[in-house]
Amino acid sequence: MSHRKSWILSIVGIVIVALFLFPVYWMVITAFKAQTEIFQTPPTLFPQNFQIDSFIAVMQGDVGQYFLNSVIIAGLATLVVLLLAVPSAYGLARFKIKGVSSMMLIFLVTQMLPATVVLTPLFIVFNNLGLLNTYVAPVLATATLGVPFSVLLLRTFFMGIPKELEEAANIDGCSRLRAFLQVIIPISLPSVLVCGAISFFFAWGDLIFSITFNRDQELWPLTAGIFNAVGRYGIEWNNLMAFATISVLPVIIIFVLLQKHLVEGLVSGSVK
Amino acid sequence: MWKKLRKQAGGYLFVLPAVIFMLLLIGYPLLYNIILSFQNVDLSNLAGGNREFVGFDNYRTVAEEDVFGISIKNTLIYTVGSVFFQVIIGFCLASFFSMKFKLAGFLRGIMMISWLIPMTVTALLFKFMMGSEEGILNQMLMTFHFIEDPIGWLSSPDIALWSVIIANIWIGIPFNMLLLSTGLSSLPQDVYESASLDGANWWQKLVHITLPLLKPVIMVVLMLGFIYTFKVFDVVYVMTGGGPINSTEVLSTLAFRYSFSDFDFSLGAAVANVLFIILFVISLIYLRMIKKDEAI
């Protein structure tokens, strides 16, 4: 392809992406507008009166607590996912055990089921176990989104690692577990990280489990907080968009850091 | 013999915790949901107590409500409408970004942001942009004189469902694009070269080479899109809550409303089971498909 053509296509590409991501731009830019400017006609594409009052107003509210809750819930859920999924994927890839295909089927099918179907039964079970209004309920529930995804993705990855690596470790006197921990885990760290990040996104984005299991606002994550704020802030869209921007920030940061690996991982993890 | 057994046991120790976790948190609730739908459980007997077995009464009650038929229809329109446009637009973008120019991979990756933003936030953002007075969408359409009066994107019962679909299409485009891009990049290049030598134009190559070769990938994308869209809750719940006058009520929001607004858990379970059965059948078809076509 000629240099010139590549250059033109790049510009067209930038325009497409800019148009596509306009809603995200609009969210961020609205957060920096004054309340009066939002209702101005014609709308301003860049704030005439650039202000950070909305962020200050929102921070003085409950955002700090919501943010912390999101970090706790999504962080713990990610931990649960990795602790369960990494060994499981390894086992499914390496051991000749009975029922591998039916266990794979369990992960595939459970990945496709809607939260709504398990919501009511989980609510009743958690209620009977006294787990409602604790972090445990949303952590366990949102971990179910990441486990099957990670198992399916990591299994494919582990199958690609040459068996000789562990065999060599075995000859050197390593047990299977030690070989797994000291040889396999370190070389698969990028893939494990991708699974962790995606599980984190799943849990970070959850609304339904959190608002159902936790009536106690003190335990709400950002998504529940922002959903509730629609009523509270009414049409103060700049405050709401500041709230939204804050809740998106960690996701964007993780995405930028891991972009290349994430995109590849997403493809192989979802198609399998 | 002993060694082989030990080896197997070791394998199970690796695999089983995750399997048991999923069976406890998804498998068991699924079965429990079926039982619930045949009982009458509300707030009074939630923690135990007398739960009467009522047979198919809940299903009958649900089926007699107008909103049930409406929500099935809405779910179908929502799913088919979303998937159709996601795949078409996703395919166009995938074709564009599969041309090998400098920023292609980077730009394609950046678009994934829309998929990663929590759906609650996306839904709220579209609600803002679709506001009838202050919404940027109406403002722009009016500035360029496409419309004279503001459209009630979310307040008009005739339009609201399509407004929600638009938001959902936006969320799904990058993911469809990504899957289709992967498919496109795996197509054999020599077929295109010989077609070019034979004088085939762009359109002929698309219809006679790309689409037939890509068919298995397109089928997978369609099925996955159907499965993931059919169960969507957050977008609808946040943007419209099912209104105005049930015009955007889908099966998942209806199940949620029965269980957690009316606290009639058994009615909620019955609706959720209808959703489950439909999805289960589609999933089975999908599983058969990917089994037949191991290439994907």
Side-chain angles (χ1 to χ4, degrees):
Chain A
M1 187 177 294
S2 72
H3 197 68
R4 193 184 142 84
K5 200 180 167 197
S6 168
W7 196 73
I8 293 172
L9 286 177
S10 289
I11 295 198
V12 176
I14 290 171
V15 172
I16 291 175
V17 172
L19 281 176
F20 182 77
L21 290 183
F22 176 78
V24 182
Y25 171 79
W26 198 240
M27 168 180 78
V28 177
I29 221 67
T30 303
F32 289 108
K33 284 182 181 177
Q35 179 70 7
T36 45
E37 199 180 331
I38 295 171
F39 291 94
Q40 203 168 302
T41 5
T44 48
L45 287 179
F46 192 80
Q48 293 166 316
N49 196 349
F50 196 89
Q51 52 106 21
I52 55 165
D53 298 4
S54 315
F55 285 94
I56 295 170
V58 170
M59 304 263 228
Q60 280 167 348
D62 305 324
V63 164
Q65 182 64 43
Y66 292 143
F67 196 92
L68 189 69
N69 292 337
S70 279
V71 171
I72 293 173
I73 293 169
L76 286 177
T78 307
L79 199 69
V80 172
V81 169
L82 291 182
L83 284 176
L84 291 169
V86 177
S88 186
Y90 178 74
L92 286 169
R94 273 295 191 271
F95 290 92
K96 286 191 182 59
I97 48 178
K98 274 182 199 147
V100 168
S101 57
S102 50
M103 285 190 264
M104 292 287 295
L105 199 70
I106 289 175
F107 290 120
L108 256 172
V109 172
T110 50
Q111 190 178 19
M112 294 172 184
L113 293 175
T116 341
V117 174
V118 295
L119 196 67
T120 307
L122 279 182
F123 178 81
I124 296 175
V125 172
F126 286 156
N127 179 49
N128 294 343
L129 294 175
L131 293 177
L132 294 183
N133 294 318
T134 67
Y135 286 126
V136 181
V139 165
L140 289 180
T142 52
T144 61
L145 307 173
V147 168
F149 184 93
S150 302
V151 169
L152 297 170
L153 176 63
L154 284 172
R155 177 174 179 263
T156 321
F157 178 81
F158 286 138
M159 297 215 297
I161 300 177
K163 276 198 176 116
E164 288 75 19
L165 271 177
E166 292 126 291
E167 280 162 12
N170 264 327
I171 293 166
D172 289 345
C174 256
S175 71
R176 196 83 202 215
L177 186 65
R178 265 189 64 191
F180 169 65
L181 292 175
Q182 295 186 340
V183 179
I184 301 298
I185 295 277
I187 52 170
S188 37
L189 216 52
S191 295
V192 173
L193 218 59
V194 166
C195 288
I198 291 170
S199 307
F200 188 85
F201 294 151
F202 285 156
W204 190 267
D206 164 64
L207 173 70
I208 188 168
F209 288 132
S210 301
I211 55 172
T212 310
F213 299 150
N214 286 340
R215 301 274 148 163
D216 183 358
Q217 283 202 29
E218 293 275 295
L219 299 174
W220 274 357
L222 282 161
T223 44
I226 197 169
F227 175 66
N228 185 49
V230 179
R232 187 147 40 100
Y233 288 117
I235 48 169
E236 286 172 26
W237 284 108
N238 49 354
N239 287 357
L240 273 176
M241 290 300 129
F243 202 145
T245 305
I246 293 171
S247 67
V248 170
L249 218 54
V251 175
I252 306 254
I253 291 172
I254 296 175
F255 177 74
V256 170
L257 291 177
L258 293 176
Q259 198 210 349
K260 196 175 162 285
H261 298 294
L262 267 181
V263 173
E264 284 165 11
L266 276 173
V267 176
S268 46
S270 338
V271 179
K272 246 298 160 209
Chain B
M1 168 71 193
W2 174 240
K3 207 178 168 192
K4 194 183 162 199
L5 211 72
R6 241 188 65 167
K7 227 177 174 176
Q8 284 236 341
Y12 286 117
L13 281 181
F14 275 94
V15 179
L16 280 181
V19 176
I20 293 168
F21 179 81
M22 291 309 286
L23 285 177
L24 279 181
L25 277 132
I26 303 286
Y28 172 69
L30 273 179
L31 292 178
Y32 193 3
N33 209 42
I34 296 171
I35 298 170
L36 272 177
S37 69
F38 291 115
Q39 294 177 326
N40 62 340
V41 179
D42 50 33
L43 279 178
S44 66
N45 56 359
L46 181 65
N50 180 32
R51 291 180 183 180
E52 203 188 335
F53 181 81
V54 294
F56 280 91
D57 276 7
N58 291 314
Y59 291 93
R60 228 170 279 138
T61 311
V62 164
E64 278 165 8
E65 299 263 354
D66 289 342
V67 65
F68 180 68
I70 294 172
S71 58
I72 287 197
K73 197 185 85 192
N74 286 344
T75 311
L76 276 174
I77 297 174
Y78 182 80
T79 307
V80 173
S82 298
V83 174
F84 180 77
F85 287 105
Q86 281 170 357
V87 172
I88 299 245
I89 300 171
F91 180 78
C92 293
L93 289 171
S95 308
F96 176 77
F97 285 110
S98 68
M99 292 190 277
K100 288 175 182 58
F101 57 92
K102 224 177 189 165
L103 292 175
F106 172 75
L107 289 173
R108 201 176 55 192
I110 290 285
M111 287 181 70
M112 287 311 290
I113 286 176
S114 75
W115 188 77
L116 294 173
I117 295 176
M119 279 199 196
T120 311
V121 173
T122 308
L124 189 68
L125 179 55
F126 271 83
K127 193 175 173 170
F128 170 49
M129 294 196 300
M130 286 171 165
S132 44
E133 298 300 326
E134 74 281 14
I136 179 78
L137 199 55
N138 275 342
Q139 297 246 16
M140 278 200 183
L141 291 174
M142 279 158 75
T143 309
F144 294 111
H145 297 288
F146 286 118
I147 53 171
E148 288 303 314
D149 301 306
I151 295 176
W153 293 103
L154 297 172
S155 54
S156 152
D158 301 328
I159 303 171
L161 185 60
W162 283 97
S163 305
V164 186
I165 291 174
I166 290 172
N168 195 57
I169 292 172
W170 186 79
I171 296 170
I173 284 174
F175 197 63
N176 282 269
M177 172 190 72
L178 208 60
L179 295 185
L180 291 166
S181 288
T182 317
L184 280 174
S185 65
S186 67
L187 299 185
Q189 285 308 306
D190 47 336
V191 188
Y192 287 94
E193 279 156 26
S194 57
S196 297
L197 289 177
D198 291 340
N201 62 27
W202 173 85
W203 176 253
Q204 287 167 326
K205 279 190 239 175
L206 175 73
V207 174
H208 296 294
I209 304 176
T210 311
L211 290 181
L213 282 179
L214 209 59
K215 199 182 148 207
V217 179
I218 294 175
M219 288 308 288
V220 166
V221 172
L222 284 176
M223 298 297 276
L224 276 180
F226 198 95
I227 292 167
Y228 288 127
T229 314
F230 206 80
K231 61 184 182 185
V232 160
F233 170 81
D234 313 39
V235 179
V236 176
Y237 187 66
V238 175
M239 281 181 81
T240 63
I245 32 177
N246 298 334
S247 62
T248 58
E249 195 82 83
V250 287
L251 284 171
S252 57
T253 54
L254 183 64
F256 185 82
R257 185 151 66 88
Y258 278 136
S259 279
F260 297 103
S261 298
D262 305 347
F263 296 107
D264 196 326
F265 298 105
S266 291
L267 282 189
V271 174
N273 275 332
V274 174
L275 177 68
F276 168 65
I277 290 165
I278 299 172
L279 267 176
F280 189 67
V281 172
I282 304 284
S283 301
L284 284 185
I285 300 173
Y286 170 73
L287 290 175
R288 278 194 83 107
M289 243 172 57
I290 55 171
K291 231 182 180 166
K292 241 193 260 172
D293 202 294
E294 281 294 275
I296 295 164

mmCIF file of all heavy atoms in Angstrom, chain B residues 162-195:
data_model
loop_
_atom_site.group_PDB
_atom_site.id
_atom_site.type_symbol
_atom_site.label_atom_id
_atom_site.label_comp_id
_atom_site.label_asym_id
_atom_site.label_seq_id
_atom_site.Cartn_x
_atom_site.Cartn_y
_atom_site.Cartn_z
ATOM 1 N N TRP B 162 -36.941 1.629 20.097
ATOM 2 C CA TRP B 162 -35.856 1.806 19.131
ATOM 3 C C TRP B 162 -34.743 2.659 19.706
ATOM 4 O O TRP B 162 -33.574 2.474 19.362
ATOM 5 C CB TRP B 162 -36.405 2.365 17.814
ATOM 6 C CG TRP B 162 -37.067 1.255 17.081
ATOM 7 C CD1 TRP B 162 -38.399 0.960 17.062
ATOM 8 C CD2 TRP B 162 -36.418 0.208 16.356
ATOM 9 N NE1 TRP B 162 -38.623 -0.198 16.357
ATOM 10 C CE2 TRP B 162 -37.427 -0.676 15.906
ATOM 11 C CE3 TRP B 162 -35.090 -0.080 16.028
ATOM 12 C CZ2 TRP B 162 -37.151 -1.828 15.154
ATOM 13 C CZ3 TRP B 162 -34.817 -1.210 15.278
ATOM 14 C CH2 TRP B 162 -35.823 -2.068 14.851
ATOM 15 N N SER B 163 -35.088 3.577 20.593
ATOM 16 C CA SER B 163 -34.047 4.382 21.238
ATOM 17 C C SER B 163 -33.145 3.490 22.087
ATOM 18 O O SER B 163 -31.921 3.630 22.096
ATOM 19 C CB SER B 163 -34.680 5.455 22.116
ATOM 20 O OG SER B 163 -35.573 6.219 21.361
ATOM 21 N N VAL B 164 -33.773 2.570 22.807
ATOM 22 C CA VAL B 164 -32.995 1.647 23.630
ATOM 23 C C VAL B 164 -32.138 0.745 22.738
ATOM 24 O O VAL B 164 -30.984 0.440 23.045
ATOM 25 C CB VAL B 164 -33.933 0.810 24.521
ATOM 26 C CG1 VAL B 164 -33.140 -0.046 25.470
ATOM 27 C CG2 VAL B 164 -34.859 1.698 25.298
ATOM 28 N N ILE B 165 -32.714 0.347 21.614
ATOM 29 C CA ILE B 165 -31.962 -0.493 20.678
ATOM 30 C C ILE B 165 -30.734 0.251 20.147
ATOM 31 O O ILE B 165 -29.645 -0.313 20.056
ATOM 32 C CB ILE B 165 -32.875 -0.956 19.513
ATOM 33 C CG1 ILE B 165 -33.922 -1.948 20.034
ATOM 34 C CG2 ILE B 165 -32.065 -1.604 18.391
ATOM 35 C CD1 ILE B 165 -34.961 -2.360 19.009
ATOM 36 N N ILE B 166 -30.916 1.546 19.844
ATOM 37 C CA ILE B 166 -29.788 2.343 19.343
ATOM 38 C C ILE B 166 -28.627 2.315 20.345
ATOM 39 O O ILE B 166 -27.475 2.081 19.985
ATOM 40 C CB ILE B 166 -30.225 3.798 19.064
ATOM 41 C CG1 ILE B 166 -31.145 3.832 17.834
ATOM 42 C CG2 ILE B 166 -29.009 4.706 18.831
ATOM 43 C CD1 ILE B 166 -31.785 5.174 17.575
ATOM 44 N N ALA B 167 -28.944 2.522 21.612
ATOM 45 C CA ALA B 167 -27.902 2.495 22.641
ATOM 46 C C ALA B 167 -27.216 1.133 22.662
ATOM 47 O O ALA B 167 -25.987 1.024 22.744
ATOM 48 C CB ALA B 167 -28.501 2.811 24.006
ATOM 49 N N ASN B 168 -28.012 0.080 22.561
ATOM 50 C CA ASN B 168 -27.456 -1.262 22.621
ATOM 51 C C ASN B 168 -26.594 -1.584 21.399
ATOM 52 O O ASN B 168 -25.591 -2.276 21.509
ATOM 53 C CB ASN B 168 -28.582 -2.283 22.763
ATOM 54 C CG ASN B 168 -28.051 -3.622 23.188
ATOM 55 O OD1 ASN B 168 -27.407 -3.733 24.218
ATOM 56 N ND2 ASN B 168 -28.273 -4.624 22.370
ATOM 57 N N ILE B 169 -27.001 -1.055 20.241
ATOM 58 C CA ILE B 169 -26.196 -1.249 19.032
ATOM 59 C C ILE B 169 -24.817 -0.623 19.239
ATOM 60 O O ILE B 169 -23.791 -1.235 18.955
ATOM 61 C CB ILE B 169 -26.893 -0.620 17.804
ATOM 62 C CG1 ILE B 169 -28.163 -1.393 17.473
ATOM 63 C CG2 ILE B 169 -25.957 -0.618 16.587
ATOM 64 C CD1 ILE B 169 -29.021 -0.732 16.408
ATOM 65 N N TRP B 170 -24.822 0.579 19.784
ATOM 66 C CA TRP B 170 -23.559 1.287 20.018
ATOM 67 C C TRP B 170 -22.635 0.452 20.907
ATOM 68 O O TRP B 170 -21.450 0.295 20.640
ATOM 69 C CB TRP B 170 -23.843 2.650 20.658
ATOM 70 C CG TRP B 170 -22.628 3.499 20.814
ATOM 71 C CD1 TRP B 170 -22.023 4.237 19.840
ATOM 72 C CD2 TRP B 170 -21.856 3.706 22.008
ATOM 73 N NE1 TRP B 170 -20.932 4.883 20.360
ATOM 74 C CE2 TRP B 170 -20.796 4.581 21.675
ATOM 75 C CE3 TRP B 170 -21.952 3.234 23.323
ATOM 76 C CZ2 TRP B 170 -19.851 4.997 22.605
ATOM 77 C CZ3 TRP B 170 -21.010 3.648 24.247
ATOM 78 C CH2 TRP B 170 -19.975 4.511 23.890
ATOM 79 N N ILE B 171 -23.211 -0.120 21.956
ATOM 80 C CA ILE B 171 -22.403 -0.929 22.874
ATOM 81 C C ILE B 171 -21.806 -2.136 22.148
ATOM 82 O O ILE B 171 -20.659 -2.502 22.356
ATOM 83 C CB ILE B 171 -23.263 -1.414 24.061
ATOM 84 C CG1 ILE B 171 -23.752 -0.226 24.881
ATOM 85 C CG2 ILE B 171 -22.478 -2.376 24.942
ATOM 86 C CD1 ILE B 171 -24.783 -0.596 25.918
ATOM 87 N N GLY B 172 -22.595 -2.749 21.257
ATOM 88 C CA GLY B 172 -22.180 -4.023 20.686
ATOM 89 C C GLY B 172 -21.304 -3.942 19.451
ATOM 90 O O GLY B 172 -20.663 -4.930 19.092
ATOM 91 N N ILE B 173 -21.291 -2.783 18.785
ATOM 92 C CA ILE B 173 -20.555 -2.668 17.520
ATOM 93 C C ILE B 173 -19.086 -3.114 17.619
ATOM 94 O O ILE B 173 -18.648 -3.947 16.836
ATOM 95 C CB ILE B 173 -20.668 -1.237 16.947
ATOM 96 C CG1 ILE B 173 -22.049 -1.040 16.334
ATOM 97 C CG2 ILE B 173 -19.600 -0.981 15.878
ATOM 98 C CD1 ILE B 173 -22.305 0.373 15.868
ATOM 99 N N PRO B 174 -18.298 -2.596 18.556
ATOM 100 C CA PRO B 174 -16.870 -2.945 18.563
ATOM 101 C C PRO B 174 -16.632 -4.436 18.721
ATOM 102 O O PRO B 174 -15.717 -4.994 18.118
ATOM 103 C CB PRO B 174 -16.318 -2.202 19.773
ATOM 104 C CG PRO B 174 -17.354 -1.306 20.236
ATOM 105 C CD PRO B 174 -18.645 -1.697 19.654
ATOM 106 N N PHE B 175 -17.472 -5.074 19.514
ATOM 107 C CA PHE B 175 -17.268 -6.489 19.760
ATOM 108 C C PHE B 175 -17.530 -7.299 18.499
ATOM 109 O O PHE B 175 -16.749 -8.186 18.139
ATOM 110 C CB PHE B 175 -18.193 -6.943 20.883
ATOM 111 C CG PHE B 175 -17.779 -8.238 21.463
ATOM 112 C CD1 PHE B 175 -16.561 -8.351 22.095
ATOM 113 C CD2 PHE B 175 -18.581 -9.357 21.348
ATOM 114 C CE1 PHE B 175 -16.156 -9.557 22.622
ATOM 115 C CE2 PHE B 175 -18.178 -10.558 21.865
ATOM 116 C CZ PHE B 175 -16.967 -10.656 22.503
ATOM 117 N N ASN B 176 -18.597 -6.967 17.801
ATOM 118 C CA ASN B 176 -18.886 -7.619 16.525
ATOM 119 C C ASN B 176 -17.776 -7.358 15.527
ATOM 120 O O ASN B 176 -17.349 -8.259 14.808
ATOM 121 C CB ASN B 176 -20.218 -7.119 15.966
ATOM 122 C CG ASN B 176 -21.391 -7.767 16.651
ATOM 123 O OD1 ASN B 176 -21.886 -8.788 16.215
ATOM 124 N ND2 ASN B 176 -21.825 -7.194 17.759
ATOM 125 N N MET B 177 -17.323 -6.102 15.513
ATOM 126 C CA MET B 177 -16.249 -5.729 14.604
ATOM 127 C C MET B 177 -15.003 -6.578 14.871
ATOM 128 O O MET B 177 -14.368 -7.096 13.963
ATOM 129 C CB MET B 177 -15.925 -4.246 14.793
ATOM 130 C CG MET B 177 -14.704 -3.778 14.059
ATOM 131 S SD MET B 177 -14.258 -2.116 14.561
ATOM 132 C CE MET B 177 -13.617 -2.411 16.196
ATOM 133 N N LEU B 178 -14.699 -6.739 16.150
ATOM 134 C CA LEU B 178 -13.490 -7.470 16.541
ATOM 135 C C LEU B 178 -13.561 -8.935 16.104
ATOM 136 O O LEU B 178 -12.616 -9.475 15.513
ATOM 137 C CB LEU B 178 -13.347 -7.385 18.056
ATOM 138 C CG LEU B 178 -11.946 -7.469 18.613
ATOM 139 C CD1 LEU B 178 -11.104 -6.343 18.057
ATOM 140 C CD2 LEU B 178 -11.989 -7.398 20.119
ATOM 141 N N LEU B 179 -14.702 -9.569 16.373
ATOM 142 C CA LEU B 179 -14.850 -10.970 15.990
ATOM 143 C C LEU B 179 -14.802 -11.132 14.472
ATOM 144 O O LEU B 179 -14.151 -12.039 13.947
ATOM 145 C CB LEU B 179 -16.175 -11.542 16.520
ATOM 146 C CG LEU B 179 -16.325 -11.623 18.033
ATOM 147 C CD1 LEU B 179 -17.626 -12.304 18.401
ATOM 148 C CD2 LEU B 179 -15.164 -12.381 18.655
ATOM 149 N N LEU B 180 -15.472 -10.221 13.762
ATOM 150 C CA LEU B 180 -15.485 -10.318 12.307
ATOM 151 C C LEU B 180 -14.109 -10.003 11.726
ATOM 152 O O LEU B 180 -13.704 -10.597 10.727
ATOM 153 C CB LEU B 180 -16.553 -9.390 11.729
ATOM 154 C CG LEU B 180 -17.996 -9.839 12.032
ATOM 155 C CD1 LEU B 180 -19.002 -8.741 11.756
ATOM 156 C CD2 LEU B 180 -18.352 -11.091 11.234
ATOM 157 N N SER B 181 -13.369 -9.096 12.364
ATOM 158 C CA SER B 181 -12.008 -8.791 11.909
ATOM 159 C C SER B 181 -11.139 -10.033 11.981
ATOM 160 O O SER B 181 -10.373 -10.329 11.064
ATOM 161 C CB SER B 181 -11.365 -7.728 12.808
ATOM 162 O OG SER B 181 -11.948 -6.498 12.580
ATOM 163 N N THR B 182 -11.259 -10.752 13.106
ATOM 164 C CA THR B 182 -10.480 -11.973 13.265
ATOM 165 C C THR B 182 -10.812 -12.956 12.158
ATOM 166 O O THR B 182 -9.931 -13.597 11.590
ATOM 167 C CB THR B 182 -10.782 -12.621 14.629
ATOM 168 O OG1 THR B 182 -10.827 -11.580 15.604
ATOM 169 C CG2 THR B 182 -9.733 -13.626 15.013
ATOM 170 N N GLY B 183 -12.113 -13.059 11.852
ATOM 171 C CA GLY B 183 -12.539 -13.939 10.775
ATOM 172 C C GLY B 183 -11.958 -13.507 9.439
ATOM 173 O O GLY B 183 -11.437 -14.317 8.684
ATOM 174 N N LEU B 184 -12.039 -12.205 9.179
ATOM 175 C CA LEU B 184 -11.538 -11.685 7.904
ATOM 176 C C LEU B 184 -10.050 -11.953 7.741
ATOM 177 O O LEU B 184 -9.584 -12.307 6.664
ATOM 178 C CB LEU B 184 -11.796 -10.182 7.818
ATOM 179 C CG LEU B 184 -13.207 -9.734 7.438
ATOM 180 C CD1 LEU B 184 -13.342 -8.229 7.543
ATOM 181 C CD2 LEU B 184 -13.550 -10.207 6.036
ATOM 182 N N SER B 185 -9.293 -11.791 8.830
ATOM 183 C CA SER B 185 -7.841 -11.929 8.713
ATOM 184 C C SER B 185 -7.426 -13.383 8.496
ATOM 185 O O SER B 185 -6.294 -13.666 8.110
ATOM 186 C CB SER B 185 -7.153 -11.362 9.951
ATOM 187 O OG SER B 185 -7.505 -12.128 11.074
ATOM 188 N N SER B 186 -8.370 -14.311 8.754
ATOM 189 C CA SER B 186 -8.011 -15.728 8.572
ATOM 190 C C SER B 186 -8.363 -16.242 7.177
ATOM 191 O O SER B 186 -8.104 -17.393 6.855
ATOM 192 C CB SER B 186 -8.716 -16.580 9.631
ATOM 193 O OG SER B 186 -10.097 -16.567 9.398
ATOM 194 N N LEU B 187 -8.992 -15.375 6.353
ATOM 195 C CA LEU B 187 -9.355 -15.824 5.001
ATOM 196 C C LEU B 187 -8.109 -15.947 4.123
ATOM 197 O O LEU B 187 -7.196 -15.128 4.224
ATOM 198 C CB LEU B 187 -10.345 -14.838 4.361
ATOM 199 C CG LEU B 187 -11.671 -14.654 5.095
ATOM 200 C CD1 LEU B 187 -12.597 -13.742 4.297
ATOM 201 C CD2 LEU B 187 -12.349 -15.989 5.337
ATOM 202 N N PRO B 188 -8.060 -16.967 3.243
ATOM 203 C CA PRO B 188 -6.882 -17.170 2.396
ATOM 204 C C PRO B 188 -6.742 -16.055 1.358
ATOM 205 O O PRO B 188 -7.684 -15.780 0.609
ATOM 206 C CB PRO B 188 -7.166 -18.513 1.712
ATOM 207 C CG PRO B 188 -8.645 -18.676 1.778
ATOM 208 C CD PRO B 188 -9.092 -17.991 3.022
ATOM 209 N N GLN B 189 -5.590 -15.437 1.308
ATOM 210 C CA GLN B 189 -5.398 -14.287 0.429
ATOM 211 C C GLN B 189 -5.302 -14.672 -1.051
ATOM 212 O O GLN B 189 -5.677 -13.900 -1.923
ATOM 213 C CB GLN B 189 -4.129 -13.524 0.837
ATOM 214 C CG GLN B 189 -4.313 -12.687 2.106
ATOM 215 C CD GLN B 189 -5.534 -11.777 2.031
ATOM 216 O OE1 GLN B 189 -5.695 -11.001 1.107
ATOM 217 N NE2 GLN B 189 -6.415 -11.898 3.029
ATOM 218 N N ASP B 190 -4.803 -15.893 -1.320
ATOM 219 C CA ASP B 190 -4.568 -16.249 -2.732
ATOM 220 C C ASP B 190 -5.863 -16.309 -3.541
ATOM 221 O O ASP B 190 -5.864 -16.044 -4.736
ATOM 222 C CB ASP B 190 -3.788 -17.570 -2.835
ATOM 223 C CG ASP B 190 -4.375 -18.636 -1.944
ATOM 224 O OD1 ASP B 190 -5.046 -18.269 -0.959
ATOM 225 O OD2 ASP B 190 -4.193 -19.834 -2.207
ATOM 226 N N VAL B 191 -6.998 -16.622 -2.858
ATOM 227 C CA VAL B 191 -8.276 -16.650 -3.562
ATOM 228 C C VAL B 191 -8.602 -15.265 -4.111
ATOM 229 O O VAL B 191 -9.067 -15.110 -5.242
ATOM 230 C CB VAL B 191 -9.407 -17.099 -2.609
ATOM 231 C CG1 VAL B 191 -10.694 -17.313 -3.383
ATOM 232 C CG2 VAL B 191 -9.015 -18.362 -1.881
ATOM 233 N N TYR B 192 -8.311 -14.239 -3.295
ATOM 234 C CA TYR B 192 -8.588 -12.870 -3.730
ATOM 235 C C TYR B 192 -7.687 -12.486 -4.899
ATOM 236 O O TYR B 192 -8.115 -11.824 -5.832
ATOM 237 C CB TYR B 192 -8.371 -11.891 -2.574
ATOM 238 C CG TYR B 192 -9.456 -11.967 -1.540
ATOM 239 C CD1 TYR B 192 -9.312 -12.773 -0.421
ATOM 240 C CD2 TYR B 192 -10.630 -11.245 -1.704
ATOM 241 C CE1 TYR B 192 -10.317 -12.857 0.524
ATOM 242 C CE2 TYR B 192 -11.638 -11.319 -0.767
ATOM 243 C CZ TYR B 192 -11.478 -12.122 0.349
ATOM 244 O OH TYR B 192 -12.468 -12.210 1.272
ATOM 245 N N GLU B 193 -6.439 -12.924 -4.800
ATOM 246 C CA GLU B 193 -5.502 -12.575 -5.860
ATOM 247 C C GLU B 193 -5.925 -13.168 -7.201
ATOM 248 O O GLU B 193 -5.949 -12.474 -8.217
ATOM 249 C CB GLU B 193 -4.081 -13.037 -5.494
ATOM 250 C CG GLU B 193 -3.391 -12.064 -4.556
ATOM 251 C CD GLU B 193 -2.302 -12.726 -3.735
ATOM 252 O OE1 GLU B 193 -1.750 -13.744 -4.188
ATOM 253 O OE2 GLU B 193 -2.020 -12.227 -2.625
ATOM 254 N N SER B 194 -6.311 -14.450 -7.196
ATOM 255 C CA SER B 194 -6.710 -15.049 -8.470
ATOM 256 C C SER B 194 -8.023 -14.439 -8.959
ATOM 257 O O SER B 194 -8.234 -14.300 -10.161
ATOM 258 C CB SER B 194 -6.800 -16.566 -8.361
ATOM 259 O OG SER B 194 -7.700 -16.926 -7.353
ATOM 260 N N ALA B 195 -8.903 -14.059 -8.022
ATOM 261 C CA ALA B 195 -10.151 -13.404 -8.427
ATOM 262 C C ALA B 195 -9.852 -12.063 -9.091
ATOM 263 O O ALA B 195 -10.482 -11.689 -10.083
ATOM 264 C CB ALA B 195 -11.055 -13.209 -7.226
#
